[in-house]
Amino acid sequence: MAITPRAAALTVAGVLTADGLLHVLWSTGSTWPAGDARALSYAVLGIDAPFTPPVVLPLAAVLFGGAALVTARARLGRTHRLGRLFQAGTLAVACGTALRGIAGLGWAVGWGTGLDPAAGDTFQLLNRGLYTPLCLLLAAAALRVAAGRDSATALQEPAGKEAAAPRTAAGKEAAARAR
């Protein structure tokens, strides 16, 4: 069974939002789920890096923004007046998660470039079992959203039913081209 653009968008937005919330939590000084800041850094990044507000809050904003753009693309389509922005944002999320996934594959096969040897096995286990597969899944899901139909109402209609008539001139033009 193929995943719908709406389901793909919900998946991407949900994961990006959860990750953004973790970054906000870490900005408060919490090191959950690790015992201390160094262990958290090694588990999440494979290097010793600070998890301070100036570092993690901009990342949280990027994650929330990506979730919003993917959701808007799925719900409003490319024919919306900001549709090109939504499409570009969705493609940026796909590219960013794909790049992280590809880097994770490299680390998984032993290319330790940029990783701190003192990080131990925790990062490698999380990278192979969670980070890399999740990033590759998110990249595929974001591409599914980007490739979805233009009509926002088409994403919400049950299979076999006609979509509601477009309300904007751009939507009417897109519907006419689709016929």
Side-chain angles (χ1 to χ4, degrees):
M1 181 169 91
I3 186 170
T4 66
R6 187 170 188 194
L10 288 172
T11 301
V12 173
V15 171
L16 293 180
T17 299
D19 195 12
L21 290 172
L22 277 174
H23 282 74
V24 170
L25 175 69
W26 293 330
S27 78
T28 67
S30 173
T31 59
W32 184 87
D36 60 47
R38 186 176 181 146
L40 177 66
S41 180
Y42 280 151
V44 173
L45 301 171
I47 60 171
D48 189 9
F51 274 65
T52 58
V55 174
V56 294
L57 287 177
L59 294 172
V62 168
L63 291 163
F64 292 140
L69 287 166
V70 170
T71 301
R73 169 58 185 92
R75 294 186 54 83
L76 301 174
R78 285 183 285 212
T79 58
H80 184 273
R81 65 186 172 95
L82 297 176
R84 288 183 180 171
L85 172 66
F86 303 152
Q87 181 73 4
T90 300
L91 290 172
V93 167
C95 289
T97 53
L99 285 173
R100 170 53 184 90
I102 291 167
L105 290 173
W107 292 323
V109 298
W111 297 335
T113 304
L115 300 179
D116 189 339
D121 293 334
T122 304
F123 174 78
Q124 287 294 352
L125 291 172
L126 288 169
N127 179 58
R128 288 182 186 129
L130 178 63
Y131 306 149
T132 298
L134 185 59
C135 285
L136 294 173
L137 173 76
L138 291 176
L143 286 173
R144 178 65 181 106
V145 175
R149 292 201 263 175
D150 286 348
S151 173
T153 54
L155 298 179
Q156 299 170 3
E157 292 295 327
K161 289 195 174 182
E162 288 290 322
R167 294 180 211 157
T168 65
K172 290 176 184 175
E173 289 173 19
R177 284 192 304 269
R179 288 183 230 162

